[in-house]
Amino acid sequence: MNVDPAVQRRLLDLAEVDAELTRITHRRRTLPELAEITEGEAQLRVKQDALVAQQTTLDDLNRDAKRQEDEIDGVRAREDRDRNLLNGGSVAARQVTDLQHELETLARRQSALEDDLLELMERREAVELDVARAGAEVDQAKARLAELGQRRDTALEELETAETRRTADRAALVGQFPAELISLYEEIRAQKGTAAALLRARRCGACRLELDRTAMGRIKAAAADEVVRCEECGAILIRTGESGL
């Protein structure tokens, strides 16, 4: 294939645009925010699980405290009834002794229940602090995720803008080449990635390998408008005064 050398050199512009589009695609897949969001979501789940566990413990303590308070109220009600009976003076002497004994028993029971309730309330207070801390950690994790999401969206928007611009540049460039040349370029690009590169100091700009003497001799002997390719990677080689021919 023979193409004007000046037209061939413009392939370098197209190759640079394609390289940038490839970088944009890679950048979109490997945004640091994506990994940070994945890690942040995992951390949030852990913190939410910890909050649920602490809240469950607190709920259990609240139920225990309510049951304890109800039992204390029952003991107090029983004590008030017995005391009213004693103070009313309408009970027999034997009943007085029984009521006094029962009041003593109720007093001990109430004291024990109140001690248990105090312990429960102290435990509940400690767990309430744990719940508050766990809730704050969940809120912080959510805020961090929101920030990362915003950074990701901003980065993606910037990449989208750059991609749109460079895609337009590519469309304008492609129309400047003969159909046969652009077809070859696209075929190489689909297979190898880099389809055209500068030959500088006997080295291919695509695969970075130095061409041997035989390959350089062949290229040197080729007509100026002949489309030559790297024997190693197949890229179209653009010759200039720096090629070392």
Side-chain angles (χ1 to χ4, degrees):
M1 183 191 311
N2 298 89
V3 178
D4 186 286
V7 175
Q8 291 190 45
R9 281 194 290 274
R10 288 202 295 274
L11 281 176
L12 294 176
D13 296 331
L14 181 59
E16 177 55 34
V17 169
D18 284 335
E20 186 171 349
L21 286 170
T22 298
R23 287 192 292 271
I24 289 171
T25 299
H26 176 74
R27 169 74 172 157
R28 183 182 284 117
R29 290 198 305 265
T30 59
L31 279 175
E33 290 80 5
L34 297 178
E36 291 181 62
I37 286 172
T38 298
E39 181 181 355
E41 289 173 339
Q43 291 178 352
L44 175 59
R45 287 193 293 270
V46 171
K47 293 179 186 301
Q48 287 175 326
D49 289 345
L51 175 59
V52 169
Q54 294 291 349
Q55 187 62 59
T56 299
T57 299
L58 180 59
D59 291 343
D60 290 343
L61 288 172
N62 283 333
R63 281 193 296 270
D64 291 344
K66 179 63 168 60
R67 184 167 55 249
Q68 202 81 349
E69 288 169 349
D70 290 344
E71 191 168 353
I72 290 172
D73 289 341
V75 170
R76 286 173 177 167
R78 182 73 175 270
E79 183 182 20
D80 289 342
R81 187 202 65 180
D82 289 353
R83 201 171 298 283
N84 288 335
L85 285 174
L86 278 176
N87 294 336
S90 58
V91 295
R94 182 176 179 181
Q95 287 180 300
V96 168
T97 301
D98 291 342
L99 287 172
Q100 288 175 335
H101 177 71
E102 184 172 345
L103 283 170
E104 292 172 359
T105 301
L106 290 172
R108 289 193 296 271
R109 177 60 178 161
Q110 180 176 334
S111 178
L113 289 171
E114 288 175 343
D115 287 344
D116 290 343
L117 179 60
L118 180 61
E119 181 181 348
L120 275 174
M121 293 178 70
E122 289 174 347
R123 289 172 56 197
R124 183 173 65 180
E125 183 177 352
V127 173
E128 284 174 341
L129 291 175
D130 291 338
V131 169
R133 281 193 292 266
E137 290 181 0
V138 168
D139 290 342
Q140 290 172 357
K142 287 181 177 179
R144 173 64 174 162
L145 273 178
E147 177 191 350
L148 288 171
Q150 182 60 50
R151 283 169 45 191
R152 176 203 58 199
D153 294 344
T154 298
L156 288 175
E157 288 174 5
E158 292 173 352
L159 290 173
E160 183 69 25
T161 299
E163 185 178 52
T164 299
R165 183 177 64 252
R166 298 309 275 165
T167 299
D169 293 341
R170 187 180 200 281
L173 282 169
V174 166
Q176 300 177 15
F177 301 104
E180 187 178 7
L181 178 62
I182 199 64
S183 177
L184 174 63
Y185 175 92
E186 298 290 17
E187 179 183 345
I188 299 170
R189 178 169 173 259
Q191 295 175 353
K192 305 291 186 178
T194 302
L198 185 66
L199 175 61
R200 176 183 286 129
R202 303 166 56 97
R203 191 177 298 276
C204 171
C207 64
R208 307 297 179 181
L209 295 177
E210 185 175 329
L211 278 63
D212 61 29
R213 183 174 300 175
T214 300
M216 288 299 294
R218 176 181 60 79
I219 293 173
K220 185 174 181 179
D225 64 348
E226 182 178 345
V227 176
V228 297
R229 298 174 60 182
C230 174
E231 292 183 350
E232 295 295 334
C233 68
I236 298 171
L237 292 174
I238 308 303
R239 291 165 285 171
T240 68
E242 303 176 68
S243 297
L245 298 173

